Amino acid sequence: MKRSKPWIAMGVCVLWAFLIPMSWSEEGSVMHKESGKVVRSAHGAGRWFPGRASELKEMVDGYIAQANVPEIKGVIVGAFAPHAGYLYSGAMAGYTFRAIKDNAAKGHTPDTVVVLGLSHRGGFSGVALMSGDAIETPLGQSPLDAKAGEFLADQSPRIFFDYAPHAGEHSAENEIPFVQAALPGVKMVVGLMGDHGADTIGELVSALDALNKKERLLVIASTDMLHDPDYDLVTNTDQKTLEMVARMDADGLAREWQPSKQIFCGIAPVLATMRFAEDQGCRKGTILGYRNSGDDFPESRGRWVVGYGAVVFAVPE
């Protein structure tokens, strides 16, 4: 895969994400029907990650295999992983999904994975769930858990099925090949959060809590960290942010986030995941790893530096 300039292909979060309402259209979305099934196709194949199955498998499996993570005691119920192009953030995503894969090998495979992303193209009210029967990447098809999605949607009018915001959006989609590799065959609910209001986050968390009483969930927030030309600023800010995550200080993170200081490019998914994990009994976040684009691509320093963290949230068995 041709290496792009790192300051171009790192998955930049525009400052107006979550702020400007947008009208959506499914025009240009890719889907096909097989035996009456609606199968959504990954738009990012060949752009954010390889479009060839063999190349993608080698990359994702390699990132997971190379990740050196501690043994996680208990059951992982939440996590976050970055969503930039795999050449830049894939290694850190490998840390998150190595921990998830190892946890599943100990008998803690979830019934359903809920992947929460955001829209980079503009805000909307609520949480848009991906409709359809399956999601397809070069690694194959994975089932979408329609019943779980319907249950969530029944809990709040802020949660609804709408594929249009997903068409061309990479944030949640970029996690899917890693889910397929770490948890093969597990069903997914894929959602995009269109605003970071307290009501939307609170109602989503309540819905997830209710669903978790029926089936075992793993909630994954898709997020990059600070974006700024200043390498030292990004490094220092991200370390302070991760300290707050380790303390489970979701309220502090919410206060710290500003449109001009996006400590998470995906603050709403992070807050929802942390609060869900806390409701299940998690008392600390486990920081698995951190790097930014300035570490791996020094030429990006002074141009555009993006932070990438890997975190899991576990509860006692």
Side-chain angles (χ1 to χ4, degrees), residues 70 72 245-246 284-289 310-314:
I72 304 299
V245 171
K284 67 175 183 177
T286 300
I287 313 302
L288 301 173
V311 179
V312 295
F313 305 96

Side-chain angles (χ1 to χ4, degrees), residues 180-198:
Q180 290 175 312
L183 299 169
V186 174
K187 298 176 292 184
M188 283 183 258
V189 173
V190 182
L192 294 178
M193 301 187 70
D195 71 87
H196 56 259

Side-chain angles (χ1 to χ4, degrees), residues 19-174:
L19 298 178
I20 299 177
M22 232 177 176
S23 60
W24 303 96
S25 169
E26 289 197 31
E27 183 179 357
S29 66
V30 179
M31 71 176 185
H32 58 272
K33 293 187 177 181
E34 293 181 351
S35 304
K37 292 199 311 181
V38 175
V39 180
R40 302 298 184 182
S41 296
H43 295 266
R47 181 186 178 197
W48 299 96
F49 49 82
R52 293 178 55 190
S54 58
E55 186 179 352
L56 179 59
K57 178 175 173 54
E58 181 181 6
M59 179 178 277
V60 172
D61 287 349
Y63 286 141
I64 292 173
Q66 293 164 17
N68 183 16
V69 301
E71 180 181 359
I72 304 299
K73 296 181 180 179
V75 182
I76 296 175
V77 297
F80 70 68
H83 58 227
Y86 283 15
L87 286 175
Y88 307 97
S89 70
M92 272 301 105
Y95 276 70
T96 298
F97 287 94
R98 173 62 182 269
I100 289 170
K101 182 177 180 179
D102 290 351
N103 201 241
K106 293 164 59 179
H108 304 313
T109 301
D111 298 314
T112 299
V113 175
V114 179
V115 180
L116 298 175
L118 77 154
S119 171
H120 286 83
R121 295 177 294 153
F124 57 91
S125 296
V127 183
L129 304 181
M130 182 182 289
S131 58
D133 298 295
I135 175 72
E136 184 175 47
T137 77
L139 298 184
Q141 292 184 15
S142 290
L144 293 171
D145 192 340
K147 289 185 178 180
E150 290 167 0
F151 181 90
L152 292 173
D154 286 343
Q155 307 306 301
S156 169
R158 295 178 185 272
I159 306 170
F160 48 87
F161 283 97
D162 186 358
Y163 179 71
H166 292 266
E169 172 53 52
H170 70 275
S171 63
E173 183 183 279
N174 279 8

